[in-house]
Amino acid sequence: MNTRILFTDLDGTLLDDNKNITSGNQQAIDEALSQGHKIVLSTGRPLASARIQAERLGLTREGCYAITYNGGLIYDLYRQETLFGKTIPKNIVLELFYAASERCLHIHTYTDTHILSCYDTAELHEYSSSTLLPYCIADRSLHELTSEPYKVLAIDYKNMDPLLSYQHDILGKYSDLLDSFFSSDCFLEIVPKNINKGASVKWLCEYLGIPLENSVAAGDAQNDISMLEAAQIGAVMCNAFPGIAEHGNYITSADNNHDGVAEIIRKFIL
């Protein structure tokens, strides 16, 4: 069989605006898996949150994988094992937290089970609710961070300008160690250098022995650009953020609320 592989973003792509999957998307995914194709959840979310979503969607079967932390960790959802991981040194994380606190900007990272922040903020509560993950308030030395994290996230739900300033003034100092990009207007993603969804597409295809020309990616936001460009088919959701469409080679007719991923699966996978 000519095995194909779908890399799909979650929010704004596979999930509707209420963070649920449409019946059409679910049926198409089930058909693809039953025919031996692979489904990869590709998200900026931490692994713990991605696993919760995978269980809700029934995507813990054989052939199901997850790219999490925007590529920082690749995981086999069926065998429950990590295939690849790259982290940020703790001393760099401490410096990022300190610089953000000086600007009164919310910033957090992750343990294996919790969101970790030094301050109890409204942003923390909203993010925790949307990702279904509990949070922990750490001391300023991040003593609770017992292992190096895969990602740091800065948030401003009201104004993008403080995030842009932080990215320019602070993250520019670490350009040899870190990459940063926006997954939405309010989320500034901070990851190890050369970590992104596109690199993960190539890594997982090679690991699974699937030719890159058999790969399809679906996304809607800036952190999906590298994935859309890396896959043979870069399918951009019609509800994508401005400027994303130019990085793909197919635009869906249906949005994330109306079986857009099912459209992609039926056209390019089945």
Side-chain angles (χ1 to χ4, degrees):
M1 186 193 75
N2 194 17
T3 301
R4 299 185 182 276
I5 184 167
L6 173 69
F7 297 84
T8 176
D9 175 53
L10 284 174
D11 302 302
T13 302
L14 180 61
L15 302 180
D16 63 22
D17 291 346
N18 295 316
K19 309 298 183 185
N20 297 315
I21 188 170
T22 64
S23 58
N25 281 351
Q26 185 72 69
Q27 182 178 1
I29 282 176
D30 290 343
E31 287 183 37
L33 287 170
S34 70
Q35 293 183 21
H37 301 297
K38 311 295 183 186
I39 301 293
V40 185
L41 302 180
S42 187
T43 179
R45 295 187 187 207
L47 175 61
S49 177
R51 288 183 66 181
I52 291 171
Q53 285 291 355
E55 289 169 2
R56 289 178 62 189
L57 302 174
L59 296 180
T60 56
R61 291 168 279 174
E62 189 165 8
C64 296
Y65 301 85
I67 292 170
T68 63
Y69 300 107
N70 283 307
L73 188 152
I74 302 175
Y75 191 79
D76 185 327
L77 290 163
Y78 174 66
R79 294 176 177 81
Q80 299 184 30
E81 62 182 24
T82 297
L83 305 178
F84 169 88
K86 186 176 181 181
T87 58
I88 302 174
K90 184 176 179 180
N91 66 304
I92 301 298
V93 176
L94 282 166
E95 293 174 23
L96 295 177
F97 268 57
Y98 178 75
S101 67
E102 282 196 319
R103 294 168 175 246
C104 298
L105 182 66
H106 173 82
I107 194 167
H108 70 243
T109 188
Y110 309 86
T111 68
D112 288 343
T113 57
H114 286 67
I115 307 160
L116 194 64
S117 174
C118 291
Y119 299 98
D120 192 345
T121 66
E123 290 88 350
L124 178 62
H125 286 255
E126 185 167 345
Y127 183 85
S128 173
S129 176
S130 68
T131 58
L132 306 176
L133 277 184
Y135 61 84
C136 175
I137 305 301
D139 61 33
R140 295 198 56 172
S141 67
L142 295 181
H143 177 72
E144 294 82 356
L145 194 60
T146 57
S147 59
E148 293 182 345
Y150 296 96
K151 188 184 87 165
V152 173
L153 183 68
I155 299 176
D156 192 321
Y157 284 115
K158 297 179 181 179
N159 188 351
M160 191 178 186
D161 290 341
L163 295 173
L164 288 168
S165 174
Y166 182 79
Q167 184 185 39
H168 179 268
D169 298 343
I170 305 302
L171 296 177
K173 300 176 183 179
Y174 303 100
S175 59
D176 58 333
L177 296 172
L178 303 173
D179 281 333
S180 65
F181 43 81
F182 285 85
S183 55
S184 72
D185 290 345
C186 48
F187 288 170
L188 176 60
E189 311 273 346
I190 305 165
V191 298
K193 189 72 175 178
N194 298 322
I195 287 296
N196 55 64
K197 292 184 180 183
S200 299
V201 166
K202 296 174 182 177
W203 190 96
L204 192 54
C205 281
E206 183 175 354
Y207 176 84
L208 295 173
I210 297 174
L212 194 59
E213 53 265 32
N214 288 359
S215 64
V216 180
D220 73 307
Q222 189 185 81
N223 65 325
D224 298 320
I225 289 174
S226 63
M227 175 175 72
L228 294 167
E229 293 180 341
Q232 178 71 14
I233 301 296
V236 180
M237 302 298 294
C238 64
N239 55 278
F241 288 90
I244 305 302
E246 64 191 69
H247 298 281
N249 48 26
Y250 178 78
I251 301 174
T252 64
S253 299
D255 64 17
N256 64 307
N257 294 311
H258 299 91
D259 304 336
V261 169
E263 175 187 330
I264 295 166
I265 291 173
R266 298 197 182 283
K267 186 173 183 67
F268 299 110
I269 300 292
L270 298 178

